[in-house]
Amino acid sequence: MSDTKNNWPLWEVFIRSKQGLGHKHAGSLHASDAEMAIGNARDVYTRRQEGVSIWVVPSESISASSPDDSEALFDPANDKVYRHPTFFVLPDEVNHM
Amino acid sequence: MIQTLEQFDTYVAEEKKIEPKDWMPDGYRKTLIRQISQHAHSEIVGMLPEGNWITRAPSLQRKAILLAKVQDEAGHGLYLYSAAETLGVERSDLVDDLLSGKAKYSSIFNYPVLTWADIGAIGWLVDGAAIMNQVPLCRCSYGPYSRAMIRVCKEESFHQRQGYSIMVELMKGNKAQREMAQDALDRWWWPSLMMFGPSDKDSEHSSQNMKWKIKRFTNDELRQRMVDMTVPQAECIGLKMPDKELKWNEDTGHHDFGEIDWDEFYNVLEGNGPCNKERLAVRNKAHDDGAWVREAAVAYAEKKQKKRA
């Protein structure tokens, strides 16, 4: 987990700002283990009641898509405008659907 | 997708954000690493002059407030280091560069903090100047830096107000207290104006950084704003600006002010300010004294992991 310089591993921090909302990425920090990461996340990211729950994930455990693949991954959605309800024109008499 | 310099320039010109994995020119990456890490170092070293006064704060409430402010500065340093790390540098290398004196931090922290009124002047003027610099950085083209700046700015206005409130209180006090406040303003005013960096005609990084939308306003524009904003705040509580040439200019709609002592600016920048050596020595001592804690934490984490395996 540590290199020759005794670098603490990097953790990504996710905060739930209030009950009912999902955890959102807040930033990252270094800590020697998960317990310390939660403690540090509390001090670094929630000094003003920004959260009610914290997730910490080792940064190296996150797999991310690459900008190089963004066309392949996201462009096909471009030509499927019918997925949005506004694609369908309603008769004037029908106000709500 | 960005693949060429031309695409990058167009993308940035359209006010779109660059994220860590996007292609970016080497110069852009280097500039950001330099700027963000210097910014982080400034937050960390910035804790030292104020930290000295925590135990000497005049009331329990002032002590709690100052403690919270200094803790915020630590937090700001950490947001910024993690933003810098998204550009592919190791935090320990950045810290090493600070400790060895290779990396710069804001020169303002190389001035001594002599009285309690200095704590007021620092919050009001130094944090005030920092806010002036940082608000435009919230719109920086690099996503992680911009997000860190948004967090920092939200917290920073508390810092400025707590400083100003110290000055307000001192100015309501007796003659000695009022003189203490004036003396602090006299010593901190010019160094605060120097925080915006060299004059536009001597600033080496300005134009490219403007094009890359890292910088939005020139050093002199921001400095002028600082003067225009601060003068009425000083007048309102009976403080006098230590500048004989300062006067309102009806034609420009701004204050004219005297020339900055640029020899002093470059002298402090080169390491010859009153506290450069002391600040670095204190930072190095804290880092060395904490080595066993860092090592023990790693040993403990490894032991726990072995047990689990």
Coordinates of all heavy atoms in Angstrom, one line a residue, chain B residues 216-303:
Chain B
R216 N -8.3 35.6 -15.4 CA -9.4 36.4 -16.0 C -9.2 37.9 -16.0 O -9.7 38.6 -16.9 CB -10.7 36.1 -15.3 CG -11.2 34.6 -15.3 CD -11.9 34.3 -16.6 NE -12.2 32.9 -16.7 CZ -13.0 32.4 -17.6 NH1 -13.5 33.2 -18.5 NH2 -13.3 31.2 -17.7
F217 N -8.4 38.3 -15.1 CA -8.2 39.8 -15.0 C -6.7 40.0 -14.7 O -6.0 39.1 -14.2 CB -9.0 40.4 -13.8 CG -10.4 40.2 -13.9 CD1 -11.1 39.2 -13.2 CD2 -11.2 41.0 -14.7 CE1 -12.5 39.0 -13.4 CE2 -12.6 40.9 -14.9 CZ -13.2 39.8 -14.2
T218 N -6.2 41.1 -15.1 CA -4.7 41.3 -14.9 C -4.4 41.7 -13.5 O -5.4 42.1 -12.7 CB -4.2 42.5 -15.8 OG1 -4.7 43.7 -15.3 CG2 -4.6 42.3 -17.3
N219 N -3.2 41.6 -13.1 CA -2.8 41.9 -11.7 C -3.2 43.3 -11.4 O -3.7 43.6 -10.3 CB -1.2 41.8 -11.6 CG -0.7 40.4 -11.8 OD1 -1.5 39.4 -11.9 ND2 0.6 40.2 -11.9
D220 N -3.0 44.2 -12.3 CA -3.3 45.6 -12.0 C -4.8 45.9 -11.8 O -5.2 46.7 -11.0 CB -2.7 46.6 -13.0 CG -1.2 46.7 -12.9 OD1 -0.7 46.4 -11.7 OD2 -0.5 47.0 -13.8
E221 N -5.6 45.2 -12.7 CA -7.0 45.3 -12.5 C -7.5 44.9 -11.2 O -8.3 45.5 -10.5 CB -7.7 44.5 -13.6 CG -7.7 45.1 -15.0 CD -8.2 44.1 -16.1 OE1 -8.2 42.9 -15.9 OE2 -8.5 44.6 -17.2
L222 N -7.0 43.7 -10.7 CA -7.4 43.2 -9.4 C -7.0 44.1 -8.3 O -7.7 44.3 -7.3 CB -6.9 41.8 -9.2 CG -7.6 40.7 -10.2 CD1 -6.8 39.4 -10.1 CD2 -9.0 40.5 -9.8
R223 N -5.7 44.6 -8.4 CA -5.2 45.5 -7.4 C -6.0 46.7 -7.3 O -6.3 47.2 -6.2 CB -3.7 45.8 -7.8 CG -3.0 46.5 -6.6 CD -1.5 46.6 -6.8 NE -1.0 46.2 -8.1 CZ -0.2 45.2 -8.4 NH1 0.2 44.4 -7.4 NH2 0.2 44.9 -9.6
Q224 N -6.4 47.3 -8.4 CA -7.3 48.5 -8.4 C -8.6 48.2 -7.7 O -9.1 49.0 -6.9 CB -7.5 49.0 -9.8 CG -8.4 50.2 -9.9 CD -7.6 51.5 -9.4 OE1 -6.5 51.8 -9.8 NE2 -8.2 52.1 -8.4
R225 N -9.2 47.0 -7.9 CA -10.4 46.7 -7.3 C -10.3 46.6 -5.8 O -11.1 47.0 -5.0 CB -10.9 45.3 -7.7 CG -11.7 45.3 -9.0 CD -12.2 43.9 -9.1 NE -12.4 43.7 -10.5 CZ -13.0 42.5 -11.1 NH1 -13.3 41.6 -10.2 NH2 -13.1 42.4 -12.3
M226 N -9.1 46.0 -5.4 CA -8.8 45.9 -3.9 C -8.8 47.3 -3.3 O -9.3 47.5 -2.2 CB -7.5 45.2 -3.8 CG -6.9 45.1 -2.4 SD -7.8 43.8 -1.4 CE -7.0 44.1 0.2
V227 N -8.1 48.2 -3.9 CA -8.0 49.6 -3.4 C -9.4 50.2 -3.3 O -9.8 50.7 -2.2 CB -7.0 50.4 -4.3 CG1 -7.1 51.9 -3.8 CG2 -5.6 49.9 -4.2
D228 N -10.1 50.1 -4.4 CA -11.4 50.7 -4.4 C -12.4 50.1 -3.3 O -13.2 50.8 -2.7 CB -12.1 50.6 -5.8 CG -11.4 51.4 -6.8 OD1 -10.7 52.4 -6.4 OD2 -11.5 51.1 -8.0
M229 N -12.3 48.8 -3.1 CA -13.1 48.2 -2.1 C -12.7 48.5 -0.7 O -13.6 48.7 0.2 CB -13.0 46.7 -2.3 CG -14.0 45.9 -1.5 SD -13.6 44.1 -1.5 CE -12.1 44.1 -0.5
T230 N -11.4 48.6 -0.4 CA -10.9 48.7 0.9 C -11.0 50.1 1.5 O -11.2 50.3 2.7 CB -9.5 48.1 1.0 OG1 -9.4 46.9 0.3 CG2 -9.1 47.9 2.5
V231 N -10.7 51.1 0.7 CA -10.6 52.5 1.2 C -11.9 52.9 2.0 O -11.8 53.3 3.1 CB -10.4 53.5 0.0 CG1 -10.6 54.9 0.4 CG2 -9.0 53.3 -0.5
P232 N -13.1 52.7 1.4 CA -14.3 53.1 2.2 C -14.4 52.2 3.5 O -14.9 52.7 4.5 CB -15.5 52.8 1.3 CG -15.0 52.2 0.1 CD -13.5 52.2 0.1
Q233 N -14.0 51.0 3.5 CA -14.0 50.2 4.7 C -13.1 50.7 5.8 O -13.5 50.7 7.0 CB -13.6 48.7 4.4 CG -14.6 48.0 3.5 CD -14.1 46.7 2.9 OE1 -12.9 46.3 3.2 NE2 -14.9 46.0 2.2
A234 N -12.0 51.2 5.4 CA -11.1 51.8 6.4 C -11.6 53.1 6.9 O -11.7 53.4 8.1 CB -9.7 52.1 5.7
E235 N -12.1 54.0 6.0 CA -12.7 55.3 6.4 C -13.8 55.1 7.4 O -13.9 55.8 8.4 CB -13.2 56.0 5.1 CG -12.1 56.8 4.4 CD -12.6 57.3 3.1 OE1 -13.8 57.2 2.8 OE2 -11.8 57.8 2.3
C236 N -14.7 54.1 7.1 CA -15.9 53.9 7.9 C -15.5 53.7 9.4 O -16.3 54.0 10.2 CB -16.6 52.7 7.3 SG -17.8 52.0 8.3
I237 N -14.4 53.1 9.7 CA -14.1 52.9 11.1 C -12.9 53.8 11.6 O -12.4 53.6 12.7 CB -13.7 51.4 11.4 CG1 -12.6 50.9 10.4 CG2 -14.9 50.5 11.2 CD1 -12.1 49.5 10.8
G238 N -12.6 54.8 10.8 CA -11.7 55.8 11.3 C -10.2 55.5 11.1 O -9.3 56.0 11.7
L239 N -9.9 54.5 10.2 CA -8.5 54.2 9.9 C -8.0 55.0 8.7 O -8.8 55.3 7.8 CB -8.3 52.7 9.6 CG -8.4 51.8 10.8 CD1 -8.6 50.3 10.3 CD2 -7.2 51.9 11.7
K240 N -6.7 55.4 8.7 CA -6.1 56.2 7.6 C -5.2 55.3 6.8 O -4.3 54.6 7.3 CB -5.3 57.3 8.2 CG -6.2 58.5 8.6 CD -5.3 59.7 8.9 CE -6.1 60.8 9.5 NZ -6.5 60.5 10.9
M241 N -5.4 55.3 5.5 CA -4.5 54.5 4.6 C -3.1 55.1 4.6 O -3.0 56.4 4.5 CB -5.1 54.6 3.2 CG -6.3 53.7 3.0 SD -5.9 52.0 3.3 CE -7.5 51.2 2.9
P242 N -2.1 54.3 4.7 CA -0.7 54.8 4.7 C -0.2 55.2 3.3 O 0.8 54.6 2.9 CB 0.0 53.6 5.3 CG -0.7 52.4 4.9 CD -2.2 52.8 4.8
D243 N -0.9 56.0 2.6 CA -0.6 56.4 1.3 C -0.9 57.8 1.0 O -2.1 58.2 0.9 CB -1.3 55.4 0.3 CG -0.9 55.7 -1.2 OD1 -0.2 56.7 -1.4 OD2 -1.4 55.0 -2.0
K244 N 0.1 58.7 0.9 CA -0.2 60.1 0.8 C -0.8 60.5 -0.6 O -1.5 61.5 -0.8 CB 1.1 60.9 1.0 CG 1.5 61.0 2.4 CD 2.6 62.1 2.6 CE 3.1 62.1 4.1 NZ 4.1 61.0 4.3
E245 N -0.5 59.6 -1.6 CA -1.0 59.9 -3.0 C -2.4 59.3 -3.2 O -2.9 59.5 -4.3 CB 0.0 59.3 -4.0 CG 1.4 60.0 -4.0 CD 2.4 59.2 -4.8 OE1 2.1 58.9 -5.9 OE2 3.5 58.9 -4.2
L246 N -2.9 58.7 -2.2 CA -4.2 58.1 -2.4 C -5.3 59.1 -2.5 O -5.5 59.9 -1.6 CB -4.5 57.1 -1.3 CG -5.9 56.4 -1.4 CD1 -5.7 55.1 -2.3 CD2 -6.3 55.9 0.0
K247 N -6.1 59.1 -3.6 CA -7.2 60.0 -3.7 C -8.2 59.6 -4.8 O -7.8 58.9 -5.7 CB -6.8 61.5 -4.0 CG -6.1 61.7 -5.3 CD -6.0 63.2 -5.5 CE -5.5 63.6 -6.9 NZ -4.2 63.1 -7.3
W248 N -9.5 59.9 -4.6 CA -10.5 59.5 -5.5 C -10.4 60.3 -6.8 O -10.1 61.5 -6.8 CB -11.9 59.8 -4.9 CG -13.0 59.5 -5.8 CD1 -13.8 60.4 -6.4 CD2 -13.5 58.2 -6.2 NE1 -14.8 59.8 -7.2 CE2 -14.6 58.4 -7.1 CE3 -13.0 56.9 -6.0 CZ2 -15.2 57.4 -7.7 CZ3 -13.7 55.9 -6.6 CH2 -14.8 56.1 -7.5
N249 N -10.4 59.6 -7.9 CA -10.3 60.2 -9.2 C -11.7 60.2 -9.9 O -12.2 59.2 -10.3 CB -9.3 59.5 -10.1 CG -9.0 60.1 -11.4 OD1 -10.0 60.7 -12.0 ND2 -7.8 60.0 -11.9
E250 N -12.3 61.4 -10.0 CA -13.6 61.6 -10.5 C -13.7 61.1 -11.9 O -14.7 60.4 -12.3 CB -14.0 63.0 -10.4 CG -15.5 63.3 -10.5 CD -16.3 62.9 -9.2 OE1 -15.9 63.3 -8.1 OE2 -17.2 62.0 -9.3
D251 N -12.7 61.3 -12.7 CA -12.7 61.0 -14.2 C -12.7 59.5 -14.4 O -13.4 59.0 -15.3 CB -11.5 61.6 -14.9 CG -11.6 63.1 -14.8 OD1 -12.7 63.7 -14.7 OD2 -10.5 63.8 -14.8
T252 N -11.8 58.8 -13.7 CA -11.7 57.3 -13.9 C -12.7 56.6 -13.1 O -13.0 55.4 -13.4 CB -10.3 56.8 -13.5 OG1 -10.1 57.1 -12.1 CG2 -9.2 57.5 -14.4
G253 N -13.2 57.2 -12.0 CA -14.2 56.4 -11.2 C -13.4 55.4 -10.3 O -14.0 54.5 -9.8
H254 N -12.1 55.7 -10.1 CA -11.3 54.8 -9.3 C -10.4 55.7 -8.4 O -10.3 56.9 -8.6 CB -10.4 53.9 -10.1 CG -11.1 52.9 -10.9 ND1 -11.8 51.8 -10.4 CD2 -11.3 52.8 -12.3 CE1 -12.4 51.1 -11.4 NE2 -12.1 51.7 -12.5
H255 N -9.8 55.0 -7.4 CA -8.8 55.7 -6.6 C -7.5 55.7 -7.3 O -7.1 54.7 -7.8 CB -8.7 55.0 -5.2 CG -9.9 55.2 -4.3 ND1 -10.9 54.3 -4.4 CD2 -10.2 56.1 -3.4 CE1 -11.9 54.6 -3.5 NE2 -11.4 55.7 -2.9
D256 N -6.8 56.8 -7.3 CA -5.4 56.8 -7.6 C -4.6 56.4 -6.4 O -5.0 56.8 -5.3 CB -4.9 58.2 -8.1 CG -5.6 58.6 -9.4 OD1 -6.0 57.7 -10.2 OD2 -5.8 59.8 -9.7
F257 N -3.5 55.7 -6.6 CA -2.7 55.4 -5.4 C -1.2 55.4 -5.7 O -0.8 55.4 -6.9 CB -3.2 54.1 -4.8 CG -3.1 52.9 -5.7 CD1 -2.0 52.0 -5.7 CD2 -4.2 52.6 -6.5 CE1 -2.0 50.9 -6.5 CE2 -4.2 51.5 -7.4 CZ -3.1 50.6 -7.4
G258 N -0.4 55.4 -4.7 CA 1.0 55.6 -4.8 C 1.7 54.4 -5.4 O 1.1 53.3 -5.6
E259 N 3.0 54.5 -5.8 CA 3.7 53.4 -6.4 C 4.2 52.4 -5.3 O 4.6 52.8 -4.2 CB 5.0 54.1 -7.1 CG 5.8 53.1 -7.9 CD 5.2 52.5 -9.1 OE1 4.2 53.1 -9.6 OE2 5.6 51.5 -9.6
I260 N 4.0 51.1 -5.7 CA 4.5 50.1 -4.8 C 6.0 50.0 -4.8 O 6.6 50.2 -5.8 CB 3.8 48.7 -5.3 CG1 2.4 48.7 -4.9 CG2 4.6 47.5 -4.8 CD1 1.6 47.6 -5.4
D261 N 6.6 49.6 -3.7 CA 8.0 49.5 -3.6 C 8.4 48.1 -4.1 O 8.4 47.1 -3.4 CB 8.4 49.6 -2.1 CG 9.9 49.4 -1.9 OD1 10.6 49.1 -2.9 OD2 10.4 49.7 -0.8
W262 N 8.7 48.1 -5.4 CA 8.9 46.8 -6.1 C 10.2 46.2 -5.7 O 10.4 45.0 -5.8 CB 8.9 47.0 -7.6 CG 7.5 47.3 -8.1 CD1 7.0 48.5 -8.6 CD2 6.3 46.5 -8.0 NE1 5.7 48.4 -8.9 CE2 5.2 47.2 -8.5 CE3 6.1 45.2 -7.5 CZ2 3.9 46.7 -8.6 CZ3 4.8 44.7 -7.6 CH2 3.7 45.4 -8.1
D263 N 11.2 47.0 -5.2 CA 12.4 46.4 -4.7 C 12.1 45.5 -3.5 O 12.7 44.4 -3.4 CB 13.4 47.5 -4.3 CG 14.0 48.3 -5.5 OD1 13.8 47.7 -6.6 OD2 14.4 49.4 -5.4
E264 N 11.3 46.0 -2.6 CA 10.9 45.2 -1.5 C 10.2 43.9 -1.9 O 10.5 42.8 -1.5 CB 9.9 46.0 -0.6 CG 9.4 45.2 0.6 CD 8.4 45.9 1.5 OE1 8.5 47.2 1.6 OE2 7.5 45.3 2.0
F265 N 9.3 44.0 -2.9 CA 8.5 42.9 -3.4 C 9.5 41.8 -3.9 O 9.4 40.6 -3.5 CB 7.6 43.3 -4.6 CG 6.9 42.2 -5.3 CD1 5.8 41.6 -4.8 CD2 7.4 41.8 -6.6 CE1 5.2 40.6 -5.5 CE2 6.8 40.7 -7.2 CZ 5.7 40.1 -6.7
Y266 N 10.5 42.2 -4.8 CA 11.4 41.2 -5.3 C 12.3 40.7 -4.3 O 12.7 39.5 -4.3 CB 12.1 41.8 -6.6 CG 11.2 41.9 -7.8 CD1 10.7 43.1 -8.2 CD2 10.7 40.7 -8.4 CE1 9.9 43.2 -9.3 CE2 9.8 40.8 -9.5 CZ 9.4 42.1 -9.9 OH 8.5 42.1 -11.0
N267 N 12.7 41.5 -3.3 CA 13.6 41.1 -2.3 C 12.9 40.0 -1.4 O 13.6 39.0 -1.1 CB 13.9 42.3 -1.4 CG 15.1 42.1 -0.5 OD1 16.1 41.4 -0.9 ND2 15.1 42.6 0.7
V268 N 11.7 40.2 -1.1 CA 11.0 39.2 -0.2 C 10.8 37.9 -1.1 O 10.9 36.8 -0.6 CB 9.6 39.7 0.3 CG1 8.9 38.6 1.1 CG2 9.8 41.0 1.1
L269 N 10.4 38.1 -2.4 CA 10.2 37.0 -3.3 C 11.5 36.1 -3.4 O 11.4 34.9 -3.5 CB 9.8 37.5 -4.6 CG 9.2 36.6 -5.6 CD1 7.9 36.1 -5.2 CD2 9.1 37.2 -7.0
E270 N 12.6 36.8 -3.3 CA 13.9 36.0 -3.4 C 14.3 35.4 -2.1 O 15.4 34.8 -2.1 CB 15.0 36.9 -4.0 CG 15.0 37.0 -5.5 CD 15.6 38.3 -6.0 OE1 16.6 38.8 -5.4 OE2 15.2 38.8 -7.1
G271 N 13.5 35.5 -1.1 CA 13.8 34.8 0.2 C 14.4 35.7 1.3 O 14.8 35.2 2.3
N272 N 14.4 37.0 1.0 CA 15.1 37.9 2.0 C 14.1 38.7 2.9 O 14.5 39.7 3.4 CB 16.0 38.8 1.3 CG 17.0 38.1 0.4 OD1 17.6 37.1 0.9 ND2 17.2 38.5 -0.8
G273 N 12.9 38.2 2.9 CA 11.9 38.9 3.8 C 12.2 38.7 5.2 O 13.0 37.8 5.6
P274 N 11.5 39.4 6.1 CA 11.8 39.2 7.6 C 11.6 37.8 8.1 O 12.3 37.4 9.0 CB 10.8 40.2 8.2 CG 10.0 40.9 7.2 CD 10.5 40.4 5.8
C275 N 10.7 37.0 7.5 CA 10.4 35.7 8.1 C 10.6 34.5 7.2 O 10.2 33.4 7.5 CB 9.0 35.7 8.7 SG 8.7 36.9 9.9
N276 N 11.2 34.7 6.0 CA 11.3 33.6 5.0 C 11.9 32.3 5.7 O 11.4 31.2 5.6 CB 12.1 34.0 3.8 CG 11.5 35.0 3.0 OD1 11.1 36.1 3.5 ND2 11.2 34.7 1.7
K277 N 13.0 32.6 6.3 CA 13.8 31.4 6.9 C 13.0 30.8 8.0 O 13.0 29.6 8.1 CB 15.2 31.9 7.4 CG 16.1 32.2 6.2 CD 17.5 32.6 6.6 CE 18.3 33.0 5.4 NZ 17.9 34.3 4.8
E278 N 12.4 31.6 8.9 CA 11.7 31.1 10.0 C 10.5 30.2 9.6 O 10.3 29.1 10.1 CB 11.2 32.2 10.9 CG 10.6 31.7 12.2 CD 9.8 32.8 12.9 OE1 10.1 34.0 12.7 OE2 8.8 32.4 13.5
R279 N 9.8 30.7 8.6 CA 8.6 29.9 8.1 C 9.0 28.6 7.6 O 8.4 27.6 8.0 CB 7.9 30.7 7.0 CG 7.3 32.1 7.4 CD 6.2 32.0 8.3 NE 5.6 33.4 8.6 CZ 5.5 33.9 9.8 NH1 5.9 33.3 10.9 NH2 5.0 35.1 9.9
L280 N 10.0 28.5 6.8 CA 10.5 27.2 6.2 C 11.0 26.3 7.3 O 10.8 25.1 7.3 CB 11.5 27.5 5.1 CG 11.0 27.5 3.7 CD1 12.1 27.4 2.7 CD2 9.9 26.5 3.4
A281 N 11.7 26.9 8.3 CA 12.3 26.1 9.3 C 11.2 25.5 10.2 O 11.3 24.3 10.5 CB 13.2 27.0 10.2
V282 N 10.1 26.2 10.5 CA 9.0 25.7 11.3 C 8.3 24.6 10.5 O 8.0 23.6 11.0 CB 8.0 26.9 11.6 CG1 6.8 26.3 12.2 CG2 8.7 27.9 12.5
R283 N 8.1 24.8 9.2 CA 7.4 23.8 8.4 C 8.2 22.5 8.3 O 7.7 21.4 8.4 CB 7.3 24.4 7.0 CG 6.0 24.4 6.2 CD 4.8 24.0 6.9 NE 4.5 22.6 6.8 CZ 3.8 21.9 7.7 NH1 3.2 22.5 8.7 NH2 3.5 20.6 7.5
N284 N 9.6 22.7 8.1 CA 10.4 21.5 8.1 C 10.4 20.8 9.4 O 10.4 19.5 9.4 CB 11.9 21.9 7.7 CG 12.1 21.9 6.2 OD1 12.1 20.9 5.6 ND2 12.1 23.1 5.6
K285 N 10.5 21.5 10.5 CA 10.5 20.9 11.8 C 9.2 20.1 12.0 O 9.2 18.9 12.5 CB 10.7 21.9 12.9 CG 10.7 21.3 14.3 CD 11.0 22.3 15.4 CE 11.3 21.7 16.7 NZ 10.2 20.8 17.2
A286 N 8.1 20.7 11.7 CA 6.8 20.0 11.9 C 6.7 18.7 11.0 O 6.3 17.7 11.5 CB 5.6 20.9 11.5
H287 N 7.3 18.8 9.8 CA 7.3 17.7 8.9 C 8.2 16.5 9.5 O 7.8 15.4 9.5 CB 7.8 18.1 7.5 CG 7.6 17.0 6.5 ND1 6.4 16.7 5.9 CD2 8.5 16.1 5.9 CE1 6.5 15.7 5.0 NE2 7.8 15.4 5.0
D288 N 9.4 16.9 9.9 CA 10.3 15.9 10.5 C 9.7 15.3 11.8 O 9.8 14.1 12.0 CB 11.7 16.6 10.8 CG 12.3 17.0 9.5 OD1 11.9 16.6 8.4 OD2 13.3 17.9 9.5
D289 N 9.2 16.2 12.6 CA 8.7 15.7 13.9 C 7.5 14.8 13.7 O 7.2 13.9 14.5 CB 8.2 16.9 14.8 CG 9.4 17.6 15.4 OD1 10.5 17.2 15.2 OD2 9.2 18.7 16.0
G290 N 6.8 14.9 12.6 CA 5.6 14.1 12.3 C 5.9 12.8 11.6 O 5.0 12.0 11.4
A291 N 7.2 12.6 11.2 CA 7.6 11.4 10.4 C 7.2 10.1 11.1 O 6.6 9.2 10.5 CB 9.1 11.5 10.1
W292 N 7.4 10.0 12.4 CA 7.1 8.8 13.1 C 5.6 8.5 13.1 O 5.2 7.3 13.0 CB 7.7 8.8 14.5 CG 7.0 9.7 15.5 CD1 7.2 11.0 15.7 CD2 5.9 9.3 16.3 NE1 6.4 11.5 16.7 CE2 5.5 10.5 17.1 CE3 5.2 8.2 16.5 CZ2 4.5 10.5 18.0 CZ3 4.1 8.2 17.5 CH2 3.8 9.3 18.2
V293 N 4.8 9.5 13.1 CA 3.4 9.3 13.1 C 2.9 8.7 11.7 O 2.2 7.8 11.7 CB 2.6 10.6 13.3 CG1 1.1 10.4 13.3 CG2 3.0 11.3 14.7
R294 N 3.5 9.3 10.7 CA 3.2 8.8 9.3 C 3.6 7.4 9.2 O 2.9 6.5 8.6 CB 3.8 9.7 8.2 CG 3.3 11.1 8.2 CD 3.7 11.9 7.0 NE 5.2 12.1 6.9 CZ 5.8 13.1 7.5 NH1 5.1 14.0 8.3 NH2 7.1 13.3 7.4
E295 N 4.8 7.1 9.7 CA 5.3 5.7 9.5 C 4.5 4.7 10.4 O 4.2 3.6 9.9 CB 6.8 5.7 10.0 CG 7.7 6.2 9.0 CD 9.1 6.6 9.5 OE1 9.5 6.1 10.6 OE2 9.8 7.5 8.9
A296 N 4.1 5.2 11.6 CA 3.4 4.3 12.5 C 2.0 4.0 11.9 O 1.5 2.9 11.9 CB 3.2 4.9 13.9
A297 N 1.4 5.0 11.2 CA 0.1 4.8 10.6 C 0.1 3.8 9.5 O -0.7 2.9 9.4 CB -0.5 6.1 10.1
V298 N 1.2 3.9 8.7 CA 1.4 2.9 7.6 C 1.6 1.5 8.2 O 1.0 0.5 7.7 CB 2.5 3.3 6.7 CG1 2.9 2.2 5.7 CG2 2.2 4.6 5.9
A299 N 2.5 1.4 9.2 CA 2.8 0.1 9.8 C 1.5 -0.5 10.4 O 1.2 -1.7 10.2 CB 3.8 0.3 10.9
Y300 N 0.7 0.3 11.0 CA -0.6 -0.2 11.6 C -1.5 -0.7 10.5 O -2.1 -1.8 10.6 CB -1.2 0.9 12.4 CG -2.6 0.6 13.0 CD1 -2.7 -0.4 14.0 CD2 -3.7 1.2 12.5 CE1 -4.0 -0.7 14.6 CE2 -5.0 0.9 13.0 CZ -5.1 0.0 14.1 OH -6.3 -0.3 14.6
A301 N -1.6 0.1 9.4 CA -2.5 -0.3 8.3 C -2.1 -1.6 7.7 O -2.9 -2.5 7.4 CB -2.6 0.8 7.3
E302 N -0.7 -1.8 7.6 CA -0.2 -3.0 7.0 C -0.4 -4.2 7.9 O -0.8 -5.3 7.5 CB 1.3 -2.9 6.7 CG 1.5 -2.1 5.4 CD 2.9 -1.7 5.1 OE1 3.8 -1.9 6.1 OE2 3.2 -1.1 4.1
K303 N -0.3 -4.0 9.2 CA -0.5 -5.1 10.1 C -2.0 -5.6 10.1 O -2.2 -6.8 10.1 CB -0.1 -4.6 11.6 CG 0.0 -5.7 12.6 CD 0.5 -5.2 13.9 CE -0.7 -4.8 14.8 NZ -0.3 -4.3 16.1

